């Protein structure tokens, strides 16, 4: 609300009346409150803020209130939604509002502030992805200083100064912003005669209009528009804005309009996703390297993409073997992975012997997939040789000293340490990684391409972070995910859970430092498993699988609560339910009665199982022996028995079956409080539950659904509103959240409130009654994609399940025919077109799905293009694209196909110089204007040839 020096004149010490006005619909029991930096507004203590009163004006609910302040008053303020005890329920996002009274204002005069609620989405244009990349030209406009009108105001007794202010981040060169309306001062709806606004910086345009009080009806319609020198203009979308004043009161002397964002067709862009290790170029050494990003950015630009998305790039060298290929288990959240180093760029004076060694290694490591161990070992070996030659030159350079001081690593090790030179080698490696990634990141910015990183939800329990900050982690627990689309048995990631209470004591300093570090390279990021900031699936440290867990935080079932419902035998419900009949049965006709796999499994070898793993328990039941009453203990004992050749069946099979037996429970007892319990996930699937009486079953089913789907919602919402804002406020990066899986009802409203962009994968429909999502119905604040790194590619998904393929062909494609068994380019084109035409802010495509547009690139088996198998905790992350970036740059046909999809959808794309058929250069300007309306679910007809040998020219799309 800053005046920014629009007025001039003398000051007065007399008080001025300042009124606040904001339209906002509240729920029953809620009120609006304004709180600010000065004492009169509570000094940022919401309990002492100014409570506003509501008034209905037409269809709007207007909240208002006023204060008296001295004429030289200035300060900051924000609006809050509170309950009847002034407890905060919701607050505005974005920067604090500024209030500066106009110079020369007379005592007793009235200033009215007309504000609009600042939602999370309003802050998106101010994120670095837009202000530093997409709209970087608009943000470079010269600031214009308008002429003051105070002298004119002094002569006009019945005049009112109306201060118009609008945020418009996307303004092309030689274009200005105007406000027009029915009044002569606003051009009587003629754009060329309207009030021209002045650029005030930070995408804000503003100007003052001197109007007569008699000119005002109850509502004064107006709107903003863009007007170029060539006479072209674009009006705001939607209904006219209204300048409203209370006709029952004396009009104010000053009206400040903060009209939020200019209403335009929403900006939409597209991008490509590819892990850093999957990139292949002619220059790399067995794996993608940071400097390869420059070539990937070039390809993105000519293909029409504004974004390149990567998986995590932090160092994961925990085990010293291929297990470290898992990019989400970092050794340090602040260190970059040496795997992505270009050793050739370490020095301009490489000896011929090292150049030869690099070339030989390039040929040896140029395989179909990444050889993680060999590639990393080779790079470090070569780097050490260069380090010996260049260490003094590099480590004494100004650039290194600056990097060193910014990272403060000197306090971790003494220069007199025995291993100091080894440690200096790691400094050297990290410095070059930083330099190479910074070079690529700057290149992307200049090309108008957002580099999007990935923020893992966890850290390895043996990481530097858990060593340096042990109080921030619960080391006796593990994080994971309950059963969902990715894994029907749940997942155990093995990360220690966060101690949020401890983290909050310094306002989440570790998280803020982590995001600050990321922002050095990225202008956008993906929050991995954003649900973990609402609640995390917590497992005991001794668990190896992911089923027997609980949510933290969560409200458990108390012993008293259960007893009131007639549930009292807690040992029966919380210990593994192992009846002797389950183990001893040899007559398999009994299976029809007990219907349990355990009988069939242990019928022939029950004596071996009992003698080694079970003890007798009360009432004909068994209990696990103490040395094997957890999954890790069972695994350890089985390994010992296998080494002695004592197992009658395979070790894996027995381990799975014993784990199932261990998980045959209904309630999980809280290890920190024995009077608290948590319902086991999918408890109805257990024989322990099936053996209960009907009353107990009904009670436990009701409590189960209450625990998982109702009682936690407010708690999880409050938890997210404590943790997520700390992340969002710690950097200017654009934030996207991976919100797939079992989604609590509170998640999407909170993400919308905070301006977080969600993720939509068509095969993982967020609508419970739909098997396949409908991209044309996605909301704007989403990223849409046909697949992601945690599932099979589009091509593999199409080809792996015939029945599902037929359902998709009928319900989505709209054909009653037989779909092709292969994902031919026409199918890929249809699916990609659905997504690129969706209303989503971003359509981001894995490179593998884009390559499916051309038959030439589909010769590799589709299953080999999968990046990760979430059901396999020891999956080897080693996928490499089978075509080089150089080859893709030369493939004009593929580029044309992709570019046609992007441009045809109305999405923005980077400017690029292209050569026409006559060899002339022409610049294709960035499209940032009108967004084509998302089309409805499109039907396409395929001729019969689609089921046989592909003949693209016969397909009607």
């Amino acid at each position: 609300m800053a005046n920014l020096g629009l007025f001039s004149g003398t000051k007065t010490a007399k008080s001025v009346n300042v009124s606040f006005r904001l339209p906002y619909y509240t729920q029953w029991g809620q009120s609006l409150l304004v709180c600010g930096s000065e004492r009169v507004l509570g000094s940022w203590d919401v309990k002492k803020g100014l409570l506003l009163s509501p008034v209905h004006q037409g269809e709007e609910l207007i909240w208002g209130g006023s204060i008296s302040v001295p004429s030289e008053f200035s300060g900051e303020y924000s609006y809050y939604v509170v309950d009847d005890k002034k407890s905060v329920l919701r607050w505005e996002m974005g920067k604090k509002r500024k209030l500066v009274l106009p110079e020369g204002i007379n005592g007793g005069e009235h200033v009215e502030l007309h504000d609009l609620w600042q939602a999370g989405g309003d802050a998106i244009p101010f994120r670095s992805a837009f202000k530093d990349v997409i709209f970087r030209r608009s943000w470079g406009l010269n600031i214009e200083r308008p002429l003051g009108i105070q002298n004119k105001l002094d002569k006009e007794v019945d005049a009112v100064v109306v201060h118009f202010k609008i945020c418009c981040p996307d303004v092309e060169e030689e274009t200005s912003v105007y406000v027009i309306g029915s009044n002569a001062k606003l051009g009587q709806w003629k754009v060329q005669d309207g009030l021209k606004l002045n650029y005030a910086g930070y995408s804000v345009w503003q100007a003052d209009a001197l109007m007569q009080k008699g000119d005002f009806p109850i509502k004064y319609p107006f709107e903003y528009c863009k007007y170029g020198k060539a006479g072209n203009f674009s009006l705001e979308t939607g209904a006219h804005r209204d300048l409203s004043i209370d006709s029952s009161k004396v009009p104010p002397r000053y009206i400040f309009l903060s009209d939020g964002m200019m209403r335009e067709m929403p900006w939409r862009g597209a991008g490509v996703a590819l892990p850093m290790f999957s990139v292949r170029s002619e220059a790399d050494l067995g794996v993608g390297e940071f400097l390869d990003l420059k070539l990937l950015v070039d390809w993105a630009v000519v293909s029409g993409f504004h974004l390149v998305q990567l998986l995590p790039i932090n160092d994961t060298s925990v085990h010293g073997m291929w297990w470290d290929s898992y990019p989400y288990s970092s050794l340090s959240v602040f260190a970059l992975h040496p795997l992505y180093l270009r050793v050739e760029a370490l020095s301009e004076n490489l000896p011929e012997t090292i150049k030869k060694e690099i070339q030989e290694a390039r040929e040896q490591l140029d395989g179909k997939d990444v050889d993680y161990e060999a590639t990393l070992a080779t790079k470090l070996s070569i780097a050490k040789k260069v380090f010996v030659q260049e260490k003094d030159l590099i480590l004494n350079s100004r650039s290194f000293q600056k990097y060193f001081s910014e990272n403060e690593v000197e306090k971790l090790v003494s220069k007199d340490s025995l291993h100091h030179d080894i440690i200096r080698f790691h400094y050297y490696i990290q410095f070059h990684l930083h330099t190479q990634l910074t070079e690529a990141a700057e290149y992307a910015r200049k090309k108008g391409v957002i580099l999007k990183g990935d923020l893992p939800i966890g850290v390895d329990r043996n990481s530097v972070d858990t060593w340096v900050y042990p109080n921030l982690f619960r080391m006796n627990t593990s994080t994971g995910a309950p059963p969902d689309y990715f894994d029907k048995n749940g997942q155990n990631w093995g990360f220690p859970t966060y101690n949020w209470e401890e983290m909050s004591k310094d306002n989440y300093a570790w998280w803020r430092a982590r995001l600050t570090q990321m922002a050095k390279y990225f202008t956008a990021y993906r929050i991995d498993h954003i649900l973990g900031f609402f609640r995390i699936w917590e497992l005991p440290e001794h668990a190896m699988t992911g089923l027997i867990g609980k949510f933290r935080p969560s409200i458990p079932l108390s012993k008293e609560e259960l007893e009131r419902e007639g549930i009292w035998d807690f040992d029966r419900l919380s210990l593994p339910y192992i009846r002797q009949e389950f183990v001893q049965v040899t007559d398999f006709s009994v299976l029809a009665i007990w219907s349990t796999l355990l009988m069939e499994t242990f019928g022939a070898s029950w004596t071996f199982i009992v003698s080694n793993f079970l003890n007798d328990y009360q009432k004909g039941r068994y209990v696990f022996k103490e040395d094997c009453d957890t999954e890790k203990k069972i695994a350890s004992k089985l390994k010992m028995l296998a080494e002695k050749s004592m197992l009658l069946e395979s070790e894996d099979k027995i381990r799975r079956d014993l784990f199932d037996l261990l998980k045959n429970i209904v309630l999980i007892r809280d290890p920190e409080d024995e009077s608290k319990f948590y319902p086991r996930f999918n408890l109805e699937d257990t024989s322990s539950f099936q053996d209960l009486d009907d009353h107990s079953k009904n009670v436990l089913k009701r409590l189960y659904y209450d625990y998982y789907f109702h009682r936690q919602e407010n708690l999880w919402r409050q938890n997210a509103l404590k943790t997520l804002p700390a992340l969002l406020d710690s950097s200017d990066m654009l934030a996207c959240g991976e919100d797939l899986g079992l989604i609590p009802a509170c998640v999407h409203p909170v993400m919308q409130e905070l301006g977080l962009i969600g993720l939509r994968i068509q095969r993982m429909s967020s609508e419970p009654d739909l098997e396949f999502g409908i991209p044309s119905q996605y909301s704007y604040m989403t990223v849409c994609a046909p697949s992601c790194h945690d599932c099979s590619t589009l091509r593999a998904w199409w080809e792996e399940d015939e029945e599902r393929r037929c359902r998709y062909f009928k319900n989505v494609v709209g054909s009653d025919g037989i779909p092709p068994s292969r994902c031919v380019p026409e199918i890929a084109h249809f699916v990609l077109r659905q997504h690129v035409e969706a209303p989503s802010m971003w359509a981001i495509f894995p490179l593998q799905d884009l390559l499916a547009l051309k038959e030439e690139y589909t010769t590799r088996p589709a299953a080999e293009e999968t990046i990760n198998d979430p059901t396999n905790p020891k999956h080897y992350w080693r996928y490499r694209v089978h075509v080089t970036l150089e080859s893709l740059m030369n493939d004009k046909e593929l580029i044309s196909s992709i570019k046609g999809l992007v441009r045809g959808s109305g999405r923005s794309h980077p400017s690029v110089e292209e050569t026409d058929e006559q060899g002339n250069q022409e610049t294709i300007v960035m499209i940032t204007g009108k967004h084509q309306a998302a089309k409805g679910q499109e039907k396409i007809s395929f001729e019969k040839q689609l089921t046989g040998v592909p003949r693209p020219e016969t397909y009607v799309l």
Side-chain angles (χ1 to χ4, degrees):
M1 200 69 63
N3 186 287
L4 296 179
L6 299 181
F7 300 89
S8 61
T10 59
K11 295 184 179 179
T12 175
K14 295 180 181 179
S15 63
V16 174
N17 183 265
V18 177
S19 296
F20 300 90
R21 181 187 186 279
L22 184 129
Y24 190 93
Y25 282 102
T26 54
Q27 297 178 357
W28 180 259
Q30 297 178 348
S31 297
L32 238 65
L33 176 148
V34 61
C35 184
S37 58
E38 304 307 304
R39 185 176 180 181
V40 70
L41 290 176
S43 300
W44 293 124
D45 182 350
V46 175
K47 299 283 187 184
K48 298 178 181 178
L50 174 67
L51 199 63
L52 305 181
S53 301
V55 175
H56 282 282
Q57 289 187 6
E59 297 180 354
E60 292 186 317
L61 183 64
I62 306 297
W63 292 84
S66 61
I67 56 174
S68 292
V69 298
S71 59
E72 67 274 11
F73 179 86
S74 65
E76 297 181 328
Y77 68 98
S78 284
Y79 292 99
Y80 299 81
V81 178
V82 297
D83 60 18
D84 54 3
K85 296 180 180 179
K86 287 192 174 182
S87 297
V88 176
L89 303 175
R90 189 171 298 111
W91 59 89
E92 287 191 293
M93 300 301 295
K95 297 181 185 260
K96 304 296 184 186
R97 301 172 183 267
K98 293 187 182 297
L99 169 58
V100 179
L101 294 181
E103 294 183 7
I105 188 170
N106 296 317
E109 289 189 328
H110 183 195
V111 176
E112 207 168 78
L113 309 178
H114 290 213
D115 292 331
L116 296 176
W117 181 268
Q118 293 179 169
D122 295 335
I124 284 180
F126 299 93
R127 295 294 180 181
S128 56
F130 287 98
K131 70 182 181 68
D132 296 338
V133 183
I134 305 298
F135 301 145
R136 66 194 184 283
R137 295 174 182 172
S138 298
W139 282 69
L141 295 173
N142 294 323
I143 294 178
E144 303 165 312
R145 192 167 185 82
L147 297 175
I149 61 171
Q150 184 66 40
N151 293 335
K152 295 181 180 179
L153 180 64
D154 292 339
K155 299 175 182 178
E156 299 283 348
V157 178
D158 293 328
V160 177
V161 174
V162 180
H163 179 66
F164 293 91
K165 186 172 78 171
I166 191 72
C167 179
C168 187
D170 180 19
V171 178
E172 297 178 2
E173 294 181 10
E174 299 187 339
T175 299
S176 296
V177 179
Y178 284 69
V179 59
I180 58 175
S182 58
N183 184 278
K185 295 289 182 66
L186 301 184
Q188 295 180 323
W189 296 113
K190 295 178 181 178
V191 176
Q192 63 271 24
D193 296 330
L195 177 64
K196 182 178 181 294
L197 305 187
N198 301 284
Y199 184 61
Y202 296 96
S203 292
V204 172
W205 297 75
Q206 59 187 15
D208 297 321
L210 197 62
M211 299 184 178
Q212 297 300 315
K213 293 180 181 179
D215 291 343
F216 284 96
I218 296 178
K219 283 190 176 182
Y220 191 100
F222 69 96
E223 66 180 55
Y224 296 94
C225 68
K226 294 178 185 177
Y227 185 48
K229 280 191 174 181
N232 56 307
F233 65 90
S234 60
L235 302 176
E236 281 194 291
T237 60
H240 294 315
R241 297 175 185 263
D242 289 313
L243 170 54
S244 300
I245 60 173
D246 191 341
S247 59
S248 65
K249 298 180 180 178
V250 177
R253 190 65 159 163
Y254 302 89
I255 298 176
F256 287 79
L257 299 179
S258 286
D259 281 323
M261 302 292 298
M262 186 168 177
R263 298 193 303 245
E264 301 180 272
M265 295 305 291
W267 184 96
R268 296 154 63 239
V272 58
L274 188 66
M276 191 70 256
F277 58 80
S278 298
V279 174
R280 186 188 292 269
S281 76
E282 294 175 3
D284 69 42
L285 203 65
V287 70
E289 298 167 348
F290 287 148
L291 289 177
D292 287 326
L293 289 173
K294 296 170 71 175
L295 196 54
L296 182 56
V297 164
D298 286 341
W299 182 81
V301 168
V302 297
S303 299
F305 293 136
H306 261 306
L307 182 145
V308 169
Q309 178 172 319
L310 305 176
L311 292 188
I313 54 173
N314 295 111
D315 193 352
T316 58
S317 306
V318 177
H319 304 95
M321 58 178 295
W322 66 263
W323 287 0
D324 297 333
S325 67
Y326 178 39
Y328 288 90
S329 185
S330 59
L331 174 66
S332 166
V333 297
F334 299 100
L336 299 171
H337 207 306
L339 193 69
Y340 306 129
L341 180 71
R342 176 155 295 170
V343 292
E344 227 168 4
L346 292 176
S347 172
E348 296 178 356
N349 303 304
L350 289 178
E352 290 301 321
T353 54
I354 292 182
K355 289 181 180 179
K356 182 179 178 182
E357 184 178 356
I358 292 174
Q359 183 56 36
E360 290 175 350
R362 181 175 291 119
E363 295 171 1
Q364 292 172 358
L365 297 172
D366 189 26
K368 181 179 68 173
D369 299 309
V370 177
D371 187 332
Y372 182 90
E373 295 172 14
T375 300
L376 183 59
T378 299
K379 289 196 173 192
L380 291 178
S381 174
I382 295 173
K384 285 177 182 176
K385 295 174 184 177
V386 183
F387 171 70
V388 171
Q389 172 185 305
E390 301 246 322
K391 60 181 177 182
D392 292 333
L393 176 65
I394 296 299
L395 300 184
N396 292 324
S397 67
R398 287 186 179 180
S399 56
F400 176 80
Q401 292 301 323
K402 181 177 183 293
Y403 166 79
F404 190 84
S405 63
E406 289 174 350
N407 289 275
E408 295 180 349
V409 288
E410 71 274 7
K411 61 187 178 184
L412 296 180
V413 63
S414 167
K415 292 181 179 179
D416 299 327
S417 167
L418 178 64
H419 305 293
H420 187 240
D421 211 45
I422 297 175
I423 294 170
R424 289 210 304 166
F425 171 66
H426 291 288
Y427 293 169
Y428 173 83
I429 292 295
Q430 287 298 313
F431 170 67
H432 277 288
L433 287 165
H434 164 74
T435 301
Q436 293 179 12
L437 181 54
T438 299
E439 179 182 334
E442 287 299 323
Y443 186 83
R445 284 188 182 95
K446 291 177 181 178
K447 289 285 188 176
V449 174
I450 294 166
L451 206 56
K452 181 181 177 184
D454 198 320
L455 183 73
I457 185 60
V459 299
D460 195 280
R461 63 177 56 251
N462 296 312
S463 69
V464 173
D465 303 278
T466 59
W467 168 55
V468 177
Y469 310 104
N471 57 321
L472 301 185
F473 305 91
R474 300 181 186 276
M475 298 303 291
N476 63 338
T477 63
S478 293
T479 60
D484 58 14
Y485 177 92
F486 297 111
D487 192 343
K488 305 303 182 186
N489 297 312
Q491 299 175 55
N492 185 343
W493 301 323
F495 309 138
T497 53
Y498 295 121
N499 186 341
W500 290 111
E501 295 80 5
E502 191 67 28
M503 287 180 163
S504 68
K505 292 178 181 178
D506 60 4
N507 192 26
Y508 310 97
W510 179 80
W511 281 103
R512 287 186 286 109
R514 191 176 174 186
L515 269 294
T516 300
Q517 181 73 8
M518 279 191 75
K520 293 178 181 178
Y521 315 112
F522 300 104
T523 49
Y525 66 106
R526 167 190 176 271
I527 302 175
D528 174 45
H529 193 65
I530 197 172
L531 303 183
F533 292 90
F534 292 79
R535 83 294 186 272
I536 197 72
W537 186 245
E538 186 178 78
L539 301 148
E541 190 276 332
H542 54 70
M544 295 178 66
T545 59
L547 191 63
I548 307 300
K550 63 181 178 66
F551 288 122
R552 180 182 287 272
S554 65
I555 304 169
L557 307 177
S558 67
K559 181 179 178 182
E560 294 74 18
E561 180 182 7
L562 289 163
E563 286 177 339
R564 285 197 300 270
E565 298 281 2
I567 305 297
W568 55 269
D569 193 349
F570 302 111
D571 284 346
R572 157 70 178 83
L573 297 172
S574 61
L575 292 176
Y577 184 62
I578 314 172
R579 294 188 59 174
Q580 291 182 356
E581 292 94 329
F582 288 1
V583 182
Q584 296 177 6
V585 66
T586 55
D587 180 3
F588 284 93
S589 63
V590 182
L591 285 174
I593 301 175
W594 291 107
S595 185
T596 173
L597 183 63
L598 296 174
M599 302 178 203
E600 184 178 13
T601 302
F602 296 120
S605 55
W606 69 271
T607 54
F608 173 80
I609 298 297
V610 170
S611 62
N612 284 280
F613 294 94
L614 304 175
N615 285 331
D616 286 326
Y617 191 56
Q618 59 187 11
K619 299 179 182 177
R621 289 174 55 192
Y622 288 117
V623 67
F624 276 96
K625 295 178 184 291
E626 187 175 352
D627 68 344
C628 54
D629 59 358
T630 70
E631 290 181 338
K632 284 190 176 178
K633 288 180 180 179
I634 289 174
S636 177
K637 190 165 187 176
L638 279 174
K639 183 177 180 181
M640 179 267 293
L641 293 172
E643 290 172 351
K644 296 180 180 179
S645 301
M646 296 178 63
L647 300 183
L648 303 179
E649 297 178 277
S650 76
E651 181 181 352
D652 287 345
K653 182 178 185 304
I654 296 177
R655 181 173 60 249
R656 286 195 304 270
D657 294 336
L658 285 171
F659 281 7
D660 287 343
L661 202 61
L662 190 68
K663 291 182 282 194
N664 190 23
I665 60 175
V666 175
L667 297 177
I668 301 170
R669 193 185 293 266
D670 191 328
E672 299 173 5
D673 185 346
E674 291 195 351
S675 66
K676 300 290 191 294
F677 299 87
Y678 304 89
R680 175 217 194 263
F681 199 90
N682 287 345
L683 56 79
E684 293 181 58
D685 294 344
T686 68
S687 59
S688 177
F689 177 86
Q690 294 299 329
D691 239 15
L692 295 172
D693 61 88
D694 289 342
H695 170 75
S696 297
K697 286 181 181 179
N698 291 332
V699 168
L700 289 167
K701 278 197 293 186
R702 174 164 47 80
L703 293 176
Y704 171 89
Y705 284 100
D706 180 58
Y707 174 85
Y708 281 101
F709 303 107
H710 298 291
R711 76 194 302 173
Q712 320 296 345
E713 291 293 331
N714 189 52
L715 173 65
W716 291 344
R717 180 183 184 277
Q718 292 175 351
N719 194 56
L721 289 176
K722 290 177 184 177
T723 56
L724 284 172
L727 268 71
L728 300 177
D729 294 341
S730 61
S731 82
D732 283 339
M733 292 185 290
L734 177 68
C736 306
E738 182 268 291
D739 53 346
L740 304 174
L742 188 67
I743 308 296
C746 63
V747 171
H748 289 153
V750 167
M751 291 182 66
Q752 183 177 6
E753 188 173 328
L754 297 180
L756 281 160
I757 301 169
L759 176 62
R760 298 292 176 269
I761 306 292
Q762 187 174 29
R763 71 186 74 171
M764 307 175 200
S765 175
S766 57
E767 301 296 329
D769 57 335
L770 291 177
E771 181 180 10
F772 310 112
I774 304 175
S776 64
Q777 296 180 7
Y778 293 160
S779 65
Y780 175 66
M781 290 291 287
T782 56
V783 171
C784 67
S787 69
C788 65
H789 68 275
D790 270 332
C791 61
S792 55
T793 62
L794 169 62
R795 198 158 61 93
W797 177 80
W798 179 268
E799 296 172 5
E800 67 193 7
D801 188 325
E802 181 181 0
E803 292 183 359
R804 181 181 61 201
R805 181 168 66 239
C806 290
R807 293 194 301 272
Y808 185 92
F809 203 61
K810 177 179 176 60
N811 299 326
V812 180
V813 175
S815 172
D816 292 325
I818 300 174
S821 58
R822 293 176 57 251
C823 184
V824 294
E826 291 71 33
I827 289 292
H829 189 278
F830 171 78
V831 175
L832 298 186
R833 183 176 175 183
Q834 272 193 310
H835 288 77
V836 81
E837 291 182 347
S840 303
M841 180 190 297
W842 288 102
I844 301 178
F845 304 100
L847 182 61
Q848 304 96 300
D849 293 349
L850 294 169
L851 295 181
L853 287 170
K854 192 171 182 181
E855 192 79 26
E856 174 186 339
Y857 298 123
T858 62
T859 55
R860 184 176 186 175
E864 293 182 2
E865 294 184 330
T866 299
I867 294 169
N868 177 40
D869 175 7
T871 65
N872 179 8
K874 294 300 181 185
H875 177 76
Y876 195 168
W877 298 61
R878 63 187 312 195
Y879 165 70
R880 289 190 80 192
V881 180
H882 57 292
V883 58
T884 66
L885 290 175
E886 290 84 355
S887 296
L888 290 177
M889 282 295 293
N890 291 325
D891 191 336
K892 304 304 181 186
E893 182 183 351
L894 178 65
I895 289 173
S896 178
S897 296
I898 297 172
K899 186 166 53 180
L901 282 167
V902 175
R903 292 185 177 178
S905 69
R907 290 186 179 268
S908 170
H909 55 81
S911 59
V912 60
E913 284 193 346
E914 296 185 347
T915 304
D916 61 21
E917 293 180 359
Q918 287 74 37
N920 299 315
Q921 293 285 332
E922 60 173 340
T923 298
I924 308 301
V925 298
M926 190 190 318
I927 297 175
T928 54
K930 187 161 291 187
H931 153 109
Q932 286 186 355
K935 298 180 180 178
Q937 185 173 345
E938 186 176 351
K939 305 293 183 181
I940 63 174
S941 60
F942 288 79
E943 298 188 25
K944 292 182 179 180
Q945 290 90 335
L946 192 55
T947 60
V949 179
R951 291 177 56 190
E953 68 277 4
T954 64
Y955 308 150
V956 181
L957 301 184

